[in-house]
Amino acid sequence: MIKKEKYLFWARLFNPIVIVVFAILVWLLINIANFGNLLLNLPLVIIISISILTWFIWCIIHFNSWKKVQRYFSSRTLYKSWNFIGPAIFLSLCIILVIGQYRSAQEIGTRLNYRLDYIFNVRSVKVTKDNIYNNGLNKFFASIGQKVNLPNKLYVSPDDPLKITFDHNGKITLFEGYLTGQNKDKSGQTYLINYDTSKSNKIIIRRSQSDFDTKVVKSNNIDPLLKITNTSKFSNTLKNEAGSTFDLYYAGTTQLKPTQQGIIDVNKNGDTTDIEQTSQYNVPIYIHGETAQAFFRFFDSRIKASADLPAPDPTTDLNTNEVQSFRSKKIGYRLQVVNAALGTYYYKLMQTNDGGRTWTPLNNDPFHGEGGTALNVKFLSKSLGFVALSQNSGTSSKLYRTEDAGKTFSEVTYDTKKYH
């Protein structure tokens, strides 16, 4: 290829019109990666891509015929300059596209990040054994193991107990909660498990990397839950409560008090009301939708609880429409109702430094006089924390942030993104 022919070929291949059209394509692809709208923009993306590809193929096929056309060399200086400028701009746009796609893949909240996370970290499996009376929870977890390689040892989150709802026949209708474990390479793995028969007959498992704190999880082993729910004492006791739908909350070891009713040792007959106050792996059962007091608490006296201080039971002394979480085994925070009117609740922020045994006021009005229903309270450190409030019957919500250990809160505002 002689020099003049090179000038003509590259200048014409990457002419200004091609560059402008390719720039539009780059913008569209980055916009789709960030905000979605794939179906809306897909026809235009296909048309532009095919047009550019067709142009490149046509230029390559007709290269030899250009040798005979001398009129294209009338502005040789222009072709010589565009011979470098055109490809340089095209290459720059390619780099912009790669960087844009990479950032979209890394930034949480973008459409591309969501899609990639779903492809690599979300699995679903159809449930075939969903009766807690017949199979306990062993078959249910065996179904999960068909799609996900679960660690040998699994633990519940001390802040978010595992919740299981089942009807009077023992059919599981809801299963939700976080489980954590340690991989063979000692890295931590968290699994968010959701199963809701009102939406699907499949279990949805979302996994993510996490830190594995061996000190926290000692009291939150899930094995006692599997053993207790697989006993005849557990199933027969609940079968006798005809017509009832139950909520099961499991948070590992919690305090069993002698004054509590309905405490059942699966190794003995009848209630166990003469026990000393002790920490035990136990499975509290509530009437569906009522968390003020456990209907039954099952435990197995053969299973020895960890000597470590157990994580507090998030449902103990926690009234309806109140929420709490624990930053450590001893330090926790609770949004406690102080007033209510027509379904609107007003809260104060409480803190415990002894694992939930006693609570003291931390902020009497964290929501600045706003009322609603508390969604969550979470402290990431001693000073940094967040509280959330749902308003207008759940149609809107507000998030508040503190950086001075809960003394003052300010509302968090952020831009919203619409996905189509």
Side-chain angles (χ1 to χ4, degrees):
M1 187 186 300
I2 63 175
K3 224 172 189 181
K4 289 182 179 180
E5 292 161 356
K6 287 183 179 180
Y7 296 154
L8 179 60
F9 178 73
W10 292 109
R12 194 168 187 179
L13 187 66
F14 297 104
N15 69 74
I17 295 177
V18 171
I19 296 299
V20 171
V21 173
F22 185 65
I24 295 174
L25 178 63
V26 170
W27 179 83
L28 281 173
L29 292 175
I30 293 177
N31 184 70
I32 291 171
N34 285 326
F35 307 111
N37 303 318
L38 176 61
L39 295 179
L40 181 65
N41 293 306
L42 186 59
L44 186 56
V45 170
I46 293 175
I47 291 173
I48 293 176
S49 301
I50 293 176
S51 299
I52 293 176
L53 181 61
T54 302
W55 171 252
F56 286 170
I57 294 174
W58 187 88
C59 288
I60 294 172
I61 293 175
H62 290 79
F63 171 74
N64 289 328
S65 64
W66 294 359
K67 297 178 182 179
K68 302 175 183 179
V69 184
Q70 298 299 322
R71 65 179 181 272
Y72 291 115
F73 293 96
S74 59
S75 302
R76 178 181 172 184
T77 302
L78 175 60
Y79 280 115
K80 184 175 181 180
S81 299
W82 195 256
N83 172 59
F84 297 102
I85 296 173
I89 296 176
F90 187 87
L91 180 61
S92 298
L93 289 172
C94 290
I95 294 174
I96 292 173
L97 176 61
V98 171
I99 293 175
Q101 297 292 313
Y102 177 78
R103 288 180 175 177
S104 296
Q106 296 296 316
E107 184 179 350
I108 296 176
T110 64
R111 197 63 175 177
L112 181 58
N113 177 270
Y114 172 80
R115 288 297 182 187
L116 291 176
D117 177 68
Y118 191 89
I119 292 171
F120 290 106
N121 294 316
V122 178
R123 299 291 183 269
S124 62
V125 58
K126 186 175 181 179
V127 178
T128 56
K129 303 293 184 179
D130 60 354
N131 193 298
I132 196 170
Y133 293 161
N134 296 341
N135 309 109
L137 292 172
N138 294 289
K139 296 294 184 179
F140 190 89
F141 276 90
S143 298
I144 298 175
Q146 295 175 14
K147 290 292 184 73
V148 179
N149 293 323
L150 297 172
N152 293 329
K153 292 290 185 180
L154 284 171
Y155 307 88
V156 295
S157 168
D159 294 334
D160 300 294
L162 195 64
K163 179 183 178 181
I164 304 169
T165 299
F166 52 97
D167 63 20
H168 61 281
N169 293 318
K171 177 179 173 59
I172 299 172
T173 58
L174 179 71
F175 187 107
E176 60 182 11
Y178 288 92
L179 296 177
T180 185
Q182 192 172 29
N183 296 321
K184 293 181 179 180
D185 60 0
K186 304 301 181 181
S187 63
Q189 192 84 40
T190 297
Y191 304 88
L192 172 59
I193 301 176
N194 185 273
Y195 173 63
D196 189 343
T197 56
S198 66
K199 299 177 181 179
S200 172
N201 64 345
K202 293 184 177 181
I203 308 172
I204 307 299
I205 309 108
R206 181 183 293 274
R207 62 185 180 186
S208 61
Q209 294 291 326
S210 64
D211 294 331
F212 186 77
D213 189 345
T214 56
K215 295 181 180 179
V216 172
V217 299
K218 283 182 179 179
S219 300
N220 304 101
N221 194 335
I222 202 174
D223 288 344
L225 171 66
L226 302 181
K227 293 177 180 178
I228 291 171
T229 56
N230 199 35
T231 61
S232 58
K233 187 65 173 291
F234 175 86
S235 58
N236 291 336
T237 300
L238 296 180
K239 283 179 181 179
N240 290 331
E241 302 298 326
S244 296
T245 297
F246 297 107
D247 290 329
L248 182 160
Y249 289 89
Y250 181 73
T253 56
T254 58
Q255 292 285 344
L256 292 182
K257 302 176 183 179
T259 57
Q260 290 176 323
Q261 300 299 313
I263 300 177
I264 299 176
D265 185 345
V266 294
N267 292 311
K268 298 180 180 180
N269 294 322
D271 288 3
T272 307
T273 57
D274 58 347
I275 64 169
E276 298 180 358
Q277 182 166 323
T278 180
S279 296
Q280 290 284 351
Y281 289 106
N282 66 94
V283 180
I285 303 294
Y286 297 81
I287 297 297
H288 180 56
E290 301 177 10
T291 57
Q293 183 175 354
F295 193 57
F296 291 113
R297 284 183 181 270
F298 294 91
F299 78 102
D300 189 337
S301 56
R302 296 174 302 180
I303 303 175
K304 301 302 180 182
S306 169
D308 293 345
L309 182 66
D313 183 352
T315 59
T316 299
D317 301 324
L318 188 65
N319 295 324
T320 304
N321 300 311
E322 295 182 349
V323 294
Q324 71 181 27
S325 67
F326 283 78
R327 184 165 57 85
S328 66
K329 293 179 181 179
K330 293 185 178 181
I331 302 175
Y333 305 87
R334 172 184 291 182
L335 287 172
Q336 181 175 310
V337 174
V338 294
N339 197 6
L342 301 176
T344 299
Y345 302 88
Y346 299 87
Y347 296 88
K348 64 180 177 180
L349 180 63
M350 307 290 287
Q351 181 179 11
T352 178
N353 292 312
D354 57 8
R357 291 169 179 80
T358 60
W359 295 86
T360 56
L362 187 59
N363 188 311
N364 290 324
D365 187 15
F367 297 116
H368 304 292
E370 296 280 353
T373 303
L375 291 177
N376 203 356
V377 53
K378 190 75 172 181
F379 273 74
L380 305 181
S381 65
K382 181 180 180 180
S383 58
L384 179 61
F386 297 87
V387 292
L389 184 73
S390 173
Q391 298 176 304
N392 301 325
S393 300
T395 58
S396 63
S397 59
K398 290 186 177 181
L399 179 67
Y400 294 81
R401 173 190 177 109
T402 179
E403 295 182 357
D404 56 7
K407 295 179 181 177
T408 60
F409 283 85
S410 58
E411 185 179 350
V412 178
T413 58
Y414 50 88
D415 295 331
T416 59
K417 296 180 180 179
K418 293 183 178 181
Y419 299 106
H420 300 281

